[in-house]
Amino acid sequence: MTNHSSSQPQGVRLEVRGVDKRYGARSVLQKADLVIEPGEFVAIVGRSGCGKSTLLRLVAGLESVSGGTIRIDGDNVSGLSSSTRIMFQDSRLLPWKRVADNVALGLPPERRGAAADVLARVGLGDRLNEWPARLSGGQRQRVALARALVIKPRVLLMDEPLSNLDAKLRLSMRDMIRELQRQARITTV
């Protein structure tokens, strides 16, 4: 039996019940239902334009539902949450900030050292002072992953963050993400 420290995040129960999302007259989601148990890793698969990214944005609190409810550990999602992070298809790094500063963005000064720790966990401990433009695409995505993990989220939402990588790197990154998710027991979609 593995002993996990209490400082590690614990996954949460995510419930999507009868969720609708409309943009004007266009309906993107209709009566979506989904339950994800704490610490699970769930992939949502569907054709382009079926509402996968919209669902993630709703769970993240970036948008509000048109109908139905989304609950995280029994609490309704209504806006952004400090325990939820989303990773997008592109890294969205700030080009004028070095790698460590991109990861530590928004952290209080006393927690900025955590950026170095999580960068080491994703294999970039030696790139703290690099500019994003000097990194490969895979390295930029690992910086984005580190930025998502540094706050020790309880929910990690991933909107095809590996889609722009070559097949070999995609597999390597997928395995790394899965192992980090398993260790921290983060609910991941």
mmCIF file with all atom_site columns, all heavy atoms in Angstrom, residues 132-158:
data_model
loop_
_atom_site.group_PDB
_atom_site.id
_atom_site.type_symbol
_atom_site.label_atom_id
_atom_site.label_alt_id
_atom_site.label_comp_id
_atom_site.label_asym_id
_atom_site.label_entity_id
_atom_site.label_seq_id
_atom_site.pdbx_PDB_ins_code
_atom_site.Cartn_x
_atom_site.Cartn_y
_atom_site.Cartn_z
_atom_site.occupancy
_atom_site.B_iso_or_equiv
_atom_site.pdbx_formal_charge
_atom_site.auth_seq_id
_atom_site.auth_comp_id
_atom_site.auth_asym_id
_atom_site.auth_atom_id
_atom_site.pdbx_PDB_model_num
ATOM 1   N N   . PRO A 1 132 ? 10.491  30.861 -23.416 1.00 0.00 ? 132 PRO A N   1
ATOM 2   C CA  . PRO A 1 132 ? 9.641   29.885 -24.104 1.00 0.00 ? 132 PRO A CA  1
ATOM 3   C C   . PRO A 1 132 ? 10.002  29.674 -25.574 1.00 0.00 ? 132 PRO A C   1
ATOM 4   O O   . PRO A 1 132 ? 9.920   28.550 -26.076 1.00 0.00 ? 132 PRO A O   1
ATOM 5   C CB  . PRO A 1 132 ? 8.234   30.480 -23.959 1.00 0.00 ? 132 PRO A CB  1
ATOM 6   C CG  . PRO A 1 132 ? 8.296   31.251 -22.686 1.00 0.00 ? 132 PRO A CG  1
ATOM 7   C CD  . PRO A 1 132 ? 9.689   31.836 -22.668 1.00 0.00 ? 132 PRO A CD  1
ATOM 8   N N   . ALA A 1 133 ? 10.436  30.710 -26.256 1.00 0.00 ? 133 ALA A N   1
ATOM 9   C CA  . ALA A 1 133 ? 10.771  30.604 -27.680 1.00 0.00 ? 133 ALA A CA  1
ATOM 10  C C   . ALA A 1 133 ? 11.948  29.657 -27.925 1.00 0.00 ? 133 ALA A C   1
ATOM 11  O O   . ALA A 1 133 ? 12.111  29.152 -29.034 1.00 0.00 ? 133 ALA A O   1
ATOM 12  C CB  . ALA A 1 133 ? 11.084  31.983 -28.258 1.00 0.00 ? 133 ALA A CB  1
ATOM 13  N N   . ARG A 1 134 ? 12.747  29.394 -26.906 1.00 0.00 ? 134 ARG A N   1
ATOM 14  C CA  . ARG A 1 134 ? 13.905  28.517 -27.051 1.00 0.00 ? 134 ARG A CA  1
ATOM 15  C C   . ARG A 1 134 ? 13.576  27.051 -26.769 1.00 0.00 ? 134 ARG A C   1
ATOM 16  O O   . ARG A 1 134 ? 14.447  26.201 -26.823 1.00 0.00 ? 134 ARG A O   1
ATOM 17  C CB  . ARG A 1 134 ? 15.029  28.987 -26.143 1.00 0.00 ? 134 ARG A CB  1
ATOM 18  C CG  . ARG A 1 134 ? 15.536  30.378 -26.546 1.00 0.00 ? 134 ARG A CG  1
ATOM 19  C CD  . ARG A 1 134 ? 16.769  30.760 -25.792 1.00 0.00 ? 134 ARG A CD  1
ATOM 20  N NE  . ARG A 1 134 ? 17.764  29.705 -25.796 1.00 0.00 ? 134 ARG A NE  1
ATOM 21  C CZ  . ARG A 1 134 ? 18.909  29.736 -26.451 1.00 0.00 ? 134 ARG A CZ  1
ATOM 22  N NH1 . ARG A 1 134 ? 19.208  30.789 -27.194 1.00 0.00 ? 134 ARG A NH1 1
ATOM 23  N NH2 . ARG A 1 134 ? 19.760  28.752 -26.368 1.00 0.00 ? 134 ARG A NH2 1
ATOM 24  N N   . LEU A 1 135 ? 12.312  26.767 -26.476 1.00 0.00 ? 135 LEU A N   1
ATOM 25  C CA  . LEU A 1 135 ? 11.887  25.407 -26.156 1.00 0.00 ? 135 LEU A CA  1
ATOM 26  C C   . LEU A 1 135 ? 11.202  24.760 -27.357 1.00 0.00 ? 135 LEU A C   1
ATOM 27  O O   . LEU A 1 135 ? 10.590  25.444 -28.172 1.00 0.00 ? 135 LEU A O   1
ATOM 28  C CB  . LEU A 1 135 ? 10.901  25.418 -24.980 1.00 0.00 ? 135 LEU A CB  1
ATOM 29  C CG  . LEU A 1 135 ? 11.385  26.028 -23.670 1.00 0.00 ? 135 LEU A CG  1
ATOM 30  C CD1 . LEU A 1 135 ? 10.252  26.027 -22.649 1.00 0.00 ? 135 LEU A CD1 1
ATOM 31  C CD2 . LEU A 1 135 ? 12.600  25.295 -23.133 1.00 0.00 ? 135 LEU A CD2 1
ATOM 32  N N   . SER A 1 136 ? 11.259  23.445 -27.420 1.00 0.00 ? 136 SER A N   1
ATOM 33  C CA  . SER A 1 136 ? 10.512  22.709 -28.441 1.00 0.00 ? 136 SER A CA  1
ATOM 34  C C   . SER A 1 136 ? 9.025   22.723 -28.076 1.00 0.00 ? 136 SER A C   1
ATOM 35  O O   . SER A 1 136 ? 8.646   23.088 -26.953 1.00 0.00 ? 136 SER A O   1
ATOM 36  C CB  . SER A 1 136 ? 11.004  21.261 -28.505 1.00 0.00 ? 136 SER A CB  1
ATOM 37  O OG  . SER A 1 136 ? 10.615  20.562 -27.326 1.00 0.00 ? 136 SER A OG  1
ATOM 38  N N   . GLY A 1 137 ? 8.186   22.288 -28.998 1.00 0.00 ? 137 GLY A N   1
ATOM 39  C CA  . GLY A 1 137 ? 6.752   22.223 -28.731 1.00 0.00 ? 137 GLY A CA  1
ATOM 40  C C   . GLY A 1 137 ? 6.417   21.326 -27.546 1.00 0.00 ? 137 GLY A C   1
ATOM 41  O O   . GLY A 1 137 ? 5.580   21.664 -26.709 1.00 0.00 ? 137 GLY A O   1
ATOM 42  N N   . GLY A 1 138 ? 7.077   20.185 -27.465 1.00 0.00 ? 138 GLY A N   1
ATOM 43  C CA  . GLY A 1 138 ? 6.847   19.271 -26.351 1.00 0.00 ? 138 GLY A CA  1
ATOM 44  C C   . GLY A 1 138 ? 7.293   19.860 -25.025 1.00 0.00 ? 138 GLY A C   1
ATOM 45  O O   . GLY A 1 138 ? 6.635   19.674 -23.995 1.00 0.00 ? 138 GLY A O   1
ATOM 46  N N   . GLN A 1 139 ? 8.419   20.580 -25.041 1.00 0.00 ? 139 GLN A N   1
ATOM 47  C CA  . GLN A 1 139 ? 8.886   21.229 -23.809 1.00 0.00 ? 139 GLN A CA  1
ATOM 48  C C   . GLN A 1 139 ? 7.916   22.327 -23.369 1.00 0.00 ? 139 GLN A C   1
ATOM 49  O O   . GLN A 1 139 ? 7.632   22.469 -22.185 1.00 0.00 ? 139 GLN A O   1
ATOM 50  C CB  . GLN A 1 139 ? 10.292  21.799 -24.014 1.00 0.00 ? 139 GLN A CB  1
ATOM 51  C CG  . GLN A 1 139 ? 11.343  20.727 -24.137 1.00 0.00 ? 139 GLN A CG  1
ATOM 52  C CD  . GLN A 1 139 ? 12.688  21.282 -24.578 1.00 0.00 ? 139 GLN A CD  1
ATOM 53  O OE1 . GLN A 1 139 ? 12.773  22.250 -25.332 1.00 0.00 ? 139 GLN A OE1 1
ATOM 54  N NE2 . GLN A 1 139 ? 13.755  20.639 -24.108 1.00 0.00 ? 139 GLN A NE2 1
ATOM 55  N N   . ARG A 1 140 ? 7.383   23.077 -24.330 1.00 0.00 ? 140 ARG A N   1
ATOM 56  C CA  . ARG A 1 140 ? 6.399   24.118 -23.975 1.00 0.00 ? 140 ARG A CA  1
ATOM 57  C C   . ARG A 1 140 ? 5.157   23.494 -23.355 1.00 0.00 ? 140 ARG A C   1
ATOM 58  O O   . ARG A 1 140 ? 4.600   24.031 -22.404 1.00 0.00 ? 140 ARG A O   1
ATOM 59  C CB  . ARG A 1 140 ? 6.052   24.961 -25.201 1.00 0.00 ? 140 ARG A CB  1
ATOM 60  C CG  . ARG A 1 140 ? 7.165   25.929 -25.583 1.00 0.00 ? 140 ARG A CG  1
ATOM 61  C CD  . ARG A 1 140 ? 6.724   26.971 -26.596 1.00 0.00 ? 140 ARG A CD  1
ATOM 62  N NE  . ARG A 1 140 ? 6.355   26.412 -27.882 1.00 0.00 ? 140 ARG A NE  1
ATOM 63  C CZ  . ARG A 1 140 ? 7.199   26.162 -28.875 1.00 0.00 ? 140 ARG A CZ  1
ATOM 64  N NH1 . ARG A 1 140 ? 8.476   26.457 -28.743 1.00 0.00 ? 140 ARG A NH1 1
ATOM 65  N NH2 . ARG A 1 140 ? 6.769   25.658 -30.020 1.00 0.00 ? 140 ARG A NH2 1
ATOM 66  N N   . GLN A 1 141 ? 4.716   22.347 -23.873 1.00 0.00 ? 141 GLN A N   1
ATOM 67  C CA  . GLN A 1 141 ? 3.552   21.684 -23.294 1.00 0.00 ? 141 GLN A CA  1
ATOM 68  C C   . GLN A 1 141 ? 3.862   21.157 -21.896 1.00 0.00 ? 141 GLN A C   1
ATOM 69  O O   . GLN A 1 141 ? 3.003   21.158 -21.023 1.00 0.00 ? 141 GLN A O   1
ATOM 70  C CB  . GLN A 1 141 ? 3.035   20.565 -24.188 1.00 0.00 ? 141 GLN A CB  1
ATOM 71  C CG  . GLN A 1 141 ? 2.203   21.060 -25.358 1.00 0.00 ? 141 GLN A CG  1
ATOM 72  C CD  . GLN A 1 141 ? 1.008   21.893 -24.933 1.00 0.00 ? 141 GLN A CD  1
ATOM 73  O OE1 . GLN A 1 141 ? 1.102   23.104 -24.746 1.00 0.00 ? 141 GLN A OE1 1
ATOM 74  N NE2 . GLN A 1 141 ? -0.122  21.260 -24.783 1.00 0.00 ? 141 GLN A NE2 1
ATOM 75  N N   . ARG A 1 142 ? 5.103   20.721 -21.659 1.00 0.00 ? 142 ARG A N   1
ATOM 76  C CA  . ARG A 1 142 ? 5.474   20.279 -20.306 1.00 0.00 ? 142 ARG A CA  1
ATOM 77  C C   . ARG A 1 142 ? 5.500   21.460 -19.344 1.00 0.00 ? 142 ARG A C   1
ATOM 78  O O   . ARG A 1 142 ? 5.155   21.317 -18.177 1.00 0.00 ? 142 ARG A O   1
ATOM 79  C CB  . ARG A 1 142 ? 6.812   19.548 -20.320 1.00 0.00 ? 142 ARG A CB  1
ATOM 80  C CG  . ARG A 1 142 ? 6.661   18.141 -20.875 1.00 0.00 ? 142 ARG A CG  1
ATOM 81  C CD  . ARG A 1 142 ? 7.895   17.319 -20.680 1.00 0.00 ? 142 ARG A CD  1
ATOM 82  N NE  . ARG A 1 142 ? 8.884   17.695 -21.694 1.00 0.00 ? 142 ARG A NE  1
ATOM 83  C CZ  . ARG A 1 142 ? 10.174  17.435 -21.618 1.00 0.00 ? 142 ARG A CZ  1
ATOM 84  N NH1 . ARG A 1 142 ? 10.667  16.809 -20.571 1.00 0.00 ? 142 ARG A NH1 1
ATOM 85  N NH2 . ARG A 1 142 ? 10.980  17.785 -22.584 1.00 0.00 ? 142 ARG A NH2 1
ATOM 86  N N   . VAL A 1 143 ? 5.892   22.646 -19.826 1.00 0.00 ? 143 VAL A N   1
ATOM 87  C CA  . VAL A 1 143 ? 5.824   23.849 -18.989 1.00 0.00 ? 143 VAL A CA  1
ATOM 88  C C   . VAL A 1 143 ? 4.359   24.147 -18.660 1.00 0.00 ? 143 VAL A C   1
ATOM 89  O O   . VAL A 1 143 ? 4.017   24.463 -17.515 1.00 0.00 ? 143 VAL A O   1
ATOM 90  C CB  . VAL A 1 143 ? 6.500   25.064 -19.671 1.00 0.00 ? 143 VAL A CB  1
ATOM 91  C CG1 . VAL A 1 143 ? 6.264   26.346 -18.865 1.00 0.00 ? 143 VAL A CG1 1
ATOM 92  C CG2 . VAL A 1 143 ? 7.996   24.823 -19.853 1.00 0.00 ? 143 VAL A CG2 1
ATOM 93  N N   . ALA A 1 144 ? 3.473   24.027 -19.654 1.00 0.00 ? 144 ALA A N   1
ATOM 94  C CA  . ALA A 1 144 ? 2.039   24.245 -19.412 1.00 0.00 ? 144 ALA A CA  1
ATOM 95  C C   . ALA A 1 144 ? 1.505   23.230 -18.398 1.00 0.00 ? 144 ALA A C   1
ATOM 96  O O   . ALA A 1 144 ? 0.698   23.580 -17.526 1.00 0.00 ? 144 ALA A O   1
ATOM 97  C CB  . ALA A 1 144 ? 1.266   24.162 -20.723 1.00 0.00 ? 144 ALA A CB  1
ATOM 98  N N   . LEU A 1 145 ? 1.959   21.992 -18.493 1.00 0.00 ? 145 LEU A N   1
ATOM 99  C CA  . LEU A 1 145 ? 1.553   20.974 -17.526 1.00 0.00 ? 145 LEU A CA  1
ATOM 100 C C   . LEU A 1 145 ? 2.055   21.346 -16.129 1.00 0.00 ? 145 LEU A C   1
ATOM 101 O O   . LEU A 1 145 ? 1.305   21.261 -15.151 1.00 0.00 ? 145 LEU A O   1
ATOM 102 C CB  . LEU A 1 145 ? 2.086   19.600 -17.944 1.00 0.00 ? 145 LEU A CB  1
ATOM 103 C CG  . LEU A 1 145 ? 1.832   18.447 -16.981 1.00 0.00 ? 145 LEU A CG  1
ATOM 104 C CD1 . LEU A 1 145 ? 0.328   18.228 -16.783 1.00 0.00 ? 145 LEU A CD1 1
ATOM 105 C CD2 . LEU A 1 145 ? 2.512   17.181 -17.497 1.00 0.00 ? 145 LEU A CD2 1
ATOM 106 N N   . ALA A 1 146 ? 3.304   21.770 -16.046 1.00 0.00 ? 146 ALA A N   1
ATOM 107 C CA  . ALA A 1 146 ? 3.860   22.188 -14.751 1.00 0.00 ? 146 ALA A CA  1
ATOM 108 C C   . ALA A 1 146 ? 3.061   23.350 -14.169 1.00 0.00 ? 146 ALA A C   1
ATOM 109 O O   . ALA A 1 146 ? 2.769   23.378 -12.968 1.00 0.00 ? 146 ALA A O   1
ATOM 110 C CB  . ALA A 1 146 ? 5.334   22.574 -14.905 1.00 0.00 ? 146 ALA A CB  1
ATOM 111 N N   . ARG A 1 147 ? 2.684   24.300 -15.020 1.00 0.00 ? 147 ARG A N   1
ATOM 112 C CA  . ARG A 1 147 ? 1.888   25.443 -14.562 1.00 0.00 ? 147 ARG A CA  1
ATOM 113 C C   . ARG A 1 147 ? 0.540   24.973 -14.017 1.00 0.00 ? 147 ARG A C   1
ATOM 114 O O   . ARG A 1 147 ? 0.042   25.490 -13.029 1.00 0.00 ? 147 ARG A O   1
ATOM 115 C CB  . ARG A 1 147 ? 1.689   26.439 -15.702 1.00 0.00 ? 147 ARG A CB  1
ATOM 116 C CG  . ARG A 1 147 ? 0.955   27.698 -15.288 1.00 0.00 ? 147 ARG A CG  1
ATOM 117 C CD  . ARG A 1 147 ? 0.848   28.694 -16.402 1.00 0.00 ? 147 ARG A CD  1
ATOM 118 N NE  . ARG A 1 147 ? 0.269   28.076 -17.575 1.00 0.00 ? 147 ARG A NE  1
ATOM 119 C CZ  . ARG A 1 147 ? 0.454   28.529 -18.816 1.00 0.00 ? 147 ARG A CZ  1
ATOM 120 N NH1 . ARG A 1 147 ? 1.178   29.603 -19.033 1.00 0.00 ? 147 ARG A NH1 1
ATOM 121 N NH2 . ARG A 1 147 ? -0.098  27.917 -19.836 1.00 0.00 ? 147 ARG A NH2 1
ATOM 122 N N   . ALA A 1 148 ? -0.051  23.963 -14.647 1.00 0.00 ? 148 ALA A N   1
ATOM 123 C CA  . ALA A 1 148 ? -1.328  23.423 -14.164 1.00 0.00 ? 148 ALA A CA  1
ATOM 124 C C   . ALA A 1 148 ? -1.148  22.669 -12.850 1.00 0.00 ? 148 ALA A C   1
ATOM 125 O O   . ALA A 1 148 ? -1.995  22.747 -11.961 1.00 0.00 ? 148 ALA A O   1
ATOM 126 C CB  . ALA A 1 148 ? -1.950  22.513 -15.221 1.00 0.00 ? 148 ALA A CB  1
ATOM 127 N N   . LEU A 1 149 ? -0.056  21.948 -12.705 1.00 0.00 ? 149 LEU A N   1
ATOM 128 C CA  . LEU A 1 149 ? 0.163   21.114 -11.521 1.00 0.00 ? 149 LEU A CA  1
ATOM 129 C C   . LEU A 1 149 ? 0.700   21.872 -10.314 1.00 0.00 ? 149 LEU A C   1
ATOM 130 O O   . LEU A 1 149 ? 0.540   21.409 -9.188  1.00 0.00 ? 149 LEU A O   1
ATOM 131 C CB  . LEU A 1 149 ? 1.126   19.966 -11.867 1.00 0.00 ? 149 LEU A CB  1
ATOM 132 C CG  . LEU A 1 149 ? 0.628   18.940 -12.869 1.00 0.00 ? 149 LEU A CG  1
ATOM 133 C CD1 . LEU A 1 149 ? 1.742   17.951 -13.201 1.00 0.00 ? 149 LEU A CD1 1
ATOM 134 C CD2 . LEU A 1 149 ? -0.607  18.222 -12.350 1.00 0.00 ? 149 LEU A CD2 1
ATOM 135 N N   . VAL A 1 150 ? 1.327   23.014 -10.526 1.00 0.00 ? 150 VAL A N   1
ATOM 136 C CA  . VAL A 1 150 ? 2.007   23.704 -9.430  1.00 0.00 ? 150 VAL A CA  1
ATOM 137 C C   . VAL A 1 150 ? 1.058   24.106 -8.307  1.00 0.00 ? 150 VAL A C   1
ATOM 138 O O   . VAL A 1 150 ? 1.455   24.169 -7.146  1.00 0.00 ? 150 VAL A O   1
ATOM 139 C CB  . VAL A 1 150 ? 2.837   24.913 -9.940  1.00 0.00 ? 150 VAL A CB  1
ATOM 140 C CG1 . VAL A 1 150 ? 1.938   26.096 -10.293 1.00 0.00 ? 150 VAL A CG1 1
ATOM 141 C CG2 . VAL A 1 150 ? 3.901   25.317 -8.917  1.00 0.00 ? 150 VAL A CG2 1
ATOM 142 N N   . ILE A 1 151 ? -0.200  24.327 -8.614  1.00 0.00 ? 151 ILE A N   1
ATOM 143 C CA  . ILE A 1 151 ? -1.142  24.726 -7.567  1.00 0.00 ? 151 ILE A CA  1
ATOM 144 C C   . ILE A 1 151 ? -1.771  23.512 -6.877  1.00 0.00 ? 151 ILE A C   1
ATOM 145 O O   . ILE A 1 151 ? -2.642  23.664 -6.027  1.00 0.00 ? 151 ILE A O   1
ATOM 146 C CB  . ILE A 1 151 ? -2.240  25.674 -8.110  1.00 0.00 ? 151 ILE A CB  1
ATOM 147 C CG1 . ILE A 1 151 ? -3.083  24.981 -9.176  1.00 0.00 ? 151 ILE A CG1 1
ATOM 148 C CG2 . ILE A 1 151 ? -1.661  26.950 -8.630  1.00 0.00 ? 151 ILE A CG2 1
ATOM 149 C CD1 . ILE A 1 151 ? -4.438  24.661 -8.642  1.00 0.00 ? 151 ILE A CD1 1
ATOM 150 N N   . LYS A 1 152 ? -1.346  22.314 -7.269  1.00 0.00 ? 152 LYS A N   1
ATOM 151 C CA  . LYS A 1 152 ? -1.884  21.062 -6.733  1.00 0.00 ? 152 LYS A CA  1
ATOM 152 C C   . LYS A 1 152 ? -3.402  21.014 -6.915  1.00 0.00 ? 152 LYS A C   1
ATOM 153 O O   . LYS A 1 152 ? -4.167  20.951 -5.951  1.00 0.00 ? 152 LYS A O   1
ATOM 154 C CB  . LYS A 1 152 ? -1.502  20.895 -5.264  1.00 0.00 ? 152 LYS A CB  1
ATOM 155 C CG  . LYS A 1 152 ? -0.016  20.786 -5.049  1.00 0.00 ? 152 LYS A CG  1
ATOM 156 C CD  . LYS A 1 152 ? 0.325   20.576 -3.610  1.00 0.00 ? 152 LYS A CD  1
ATOM 157 C CE  . LYS A 1 152 ? 1.835   20.431 -3.468  1.00 0.00 ? 152 LYS A CE  1
ATOM 158 N NZ  . LYS A 1 152 ? 2.231   20.212 -2.086  1.00 0.00 ? 152 LYS A NZ  1
ATOM 159 N N   . PRO A 1 153 ? -3.836  21.013 -8.180  1.00 0.00 ? 153 PRO A N   1
ATOM 160 C CA  . PRO A 1 153 ? -5.280  21.015 -8.443  1.00 0.00 ? 153 PRO A CA  1
ATOM 161 C C   . PRO A 1 153 ? -5.933  19.709 -8.009  1.00 0.00 ? 153 PRO A C   1
ATOM 162 O O   . PRO A 1 153 ? -5.279  18.672 -7.912  1.00 0.00 ? 153 PRO A O   1
ATOM 163 C CB  . PRO A 1 153 ? -5.353  21.171 -9.966  1.00 0.00 ? 153 PRO A CB  1
ATOM 164 C CG  . PRO A 1 153 ? -4.111  20.503 -10.443 1.00 0.00 ? 153 PRO A CG  1
ATOM 165 C CD  . PRO A 1 153 ? -3.064  20.850 -9.409  1.00 0.00 ? 153 PRO A CD  1
ATOM 166 N N   . ARG A 1 154 ? -7.218  19.783 -7.786  1.00 0.00 ? 154 ARG A N   1
ATOM 167 C CA  . ARG A 1 154 ? -8.006  18.590 -7.488  1.00 0.00 ? 154 ARG A CA  1
ATOM 168 C C   . ARG A 1 154 ? -8.707  18.103 -8.751  1.00 0.00 ? 154 ARG A C   1
ATOM 169 O O   . ARG A 1 154 ? -9.101  16.956 -8.843  1.00 0.00 ? 154 ARG A O   1
ATOM 170 C CB  . ARG A 1 154 ? -8.984  18.896 -6.377  1.00 0.00 ? 154 ARG A CB  1
ATOM 171 C CG  . ARG A 1 154 ? -8.214  19.284 -5.089  1.00 0.00 ? 154 ARG A CG  1
ATOM 172 C CD  . ARG A 1 154 ? -9.118  19.590 -3.950  1.00 0.00 ? 154 ARG A CD  1
ATOM 173 N NE  . ARG A 1 154 ? -9.692  18.327 -3.489  1.00 0.00 ? 154 ARG A NE  1
ATOM 174 C CZ  . ARG A 1 154 ? -10.805 18.248 -2.791  1.00 0.00 ? 154 ARG A CZ  1
ATOM 175 N NH1 . ARG A 1 154 ? -11.462 19.327 -2.478  1.00 0.00 ? 154 ARG A NH1 1
ATOM 176 N NH2 . ARG A 1 154 ? -11.271 17.086 -2.415  1.00 0.00 ? 154 ARG A NH2 1
ATOM 177 N N   . VAL A 1 155 ? -8.861  19.009 -9.741  1.00 0.00 ? 155 VAL A N   1
ATOM 178 C CA  . VAL A 1 155 ? -9.435  18.672 -11.045 1.00 0.00 ? 155 VAL A CA  1
ATOM 179 C C   . VAL A 1 155 ? -8.499  19.216 -12.117 1.00 0.00 ? 155 VAL A C   1
ATOM 180 O O   . VAL A 1 155 ? -8.160  20.403 -12.088 1.00 0.00 ? 155 VAL A O   1
ATOM 181 C CB  . VAL A 1 155 ? -10.840 19.288 -11.232 1.00 0.00 ? 155 VAL A CB  1
ATOM 182 C CG1 . VAL A 1 155 ? -11.385 18.956 -12.619 1.00 0.00 ? 155 VAL A CG1 1
ATOM 183 C CG2 . VAL A 1 155 ? -11.795 18.831 -10.153 1.00 0.00 ? 155 VAL A CG2 1
ATOM 184 N N   . LEU A 1 156 ? -8.080  18.360 -13.040 1.00 0.00 ? 156 LEU A N   1
ATOM 185 C CA  . LEU A 1 156 ? -7.248  18.772 -14.168 1.00 0.00 ? 156 LEU A CA  1
ATOM 186 C C   . LEU A 1 156 ? -8.026  18.479 -15.442 1.00 0.00 ? 156 LEU A C   1
ATOM 187 O O   . LEU A 1 156 ? -8.380  17.330 -15.722 1.00 0.00 ? 156 LEU A O   1
ATOM 188 C CB  . LEU A 1 156 ? -5.918  18.012 -14.176 1.00 0.00 ? 156 LEU A CB  1
ATOM 189 C CG  . LEU A 1 156 ? -4.970  18.323 -15.340 1.00 0.00 ? 156 LEU A CG  1
ATOM 190 C CD1 . LEU A 1 156 ? -4.599  19.804 -15.368 1.00 0.00 ? 156 LEU A CD1 1
ATOM 191 C CD2 . LEU A 1 156 ? -3.720  17.455 -15.250 1.00 0.00 ? 156 LEU A CD2 1
ATOM 192 N N   . LEU A 1 157 ? -8.325  19.532 -16.184 1.00 0.00 ? 157 LEU A N   1
ATOM 193 C CA  . LEU A 1 157 ? -9.070  19.420 -17.439 1.00 0.00 ? 157 LEU A CA  1
ATOM 194 C C   . LEU A 1 157 ? -8.077  19.589 -18.577 1.00 0.00 ? 157 LEU A C   1
ATOM 195 O O   . LEU A 1 157 ? -7.273  20.523 -18.568 1.00 0.00 ? 157 LEU A O   1
ATOM 196 C CB  . LEU A 1 157 ? -10.153 20.498 -17.500 1.00 0.00 ? 157 LEU A CB  1
ATOM 197 C CG  . LEU A 1 157 ? -11.110 20.499 -16.306 1.00 0.00 ? 157 LEU A CG  1
ATOM 198 C CD1 . LEU A 1 157 ? -11.954 21.756 -16.308 1.00 0.00 ? 157 LEU A CD1 1
ATOM 199 C CD2 . LEU A 1 157 ? -11.961 19.248 -16.319 1.00 0.00 ? 157 LEU A CD2 1
ATOM 200 N N   . MET A 1 158 ? -8.128  18.706 -19.546 1.00 0.00 ? 158 MET A N   1
ATOM 201 C CA  . MET A 1 158 ? -7.152  18.715 -20.630 1.00 0.00 ? 158 MET A CA  1
ATOM 202 C C   . MET A 1 158 ? -7.880  18.748 -21.965 1.00 0.00 ? 158 MET A C   1
ATOM 203 O O   . MET A 1 158 ? -8.550  17.787 -22.329 1.00 0.00 ? 158 MET A O   1
ATOM 204 C CB  . MET A 1 158 ? -6.255  17.492 -20.516 1.00 0.00 ? 158 MET A CB  1
ATOM 205 C CG  . MET A 1 158 ? -5.598  17.407 -19.138 1.00 0.00 ? 158 MET A CG  1
ATOM 206 S SD  . MET A 1 158 ? -4.593  15.950 -18.947 1.00 0.00 ? 158 MET A SD  1
ATOM 207 C CE  . MET A 1 158 ? -3.166  16.504 -19.859 1.00 0.00 ? 158 MET A CE  1
#
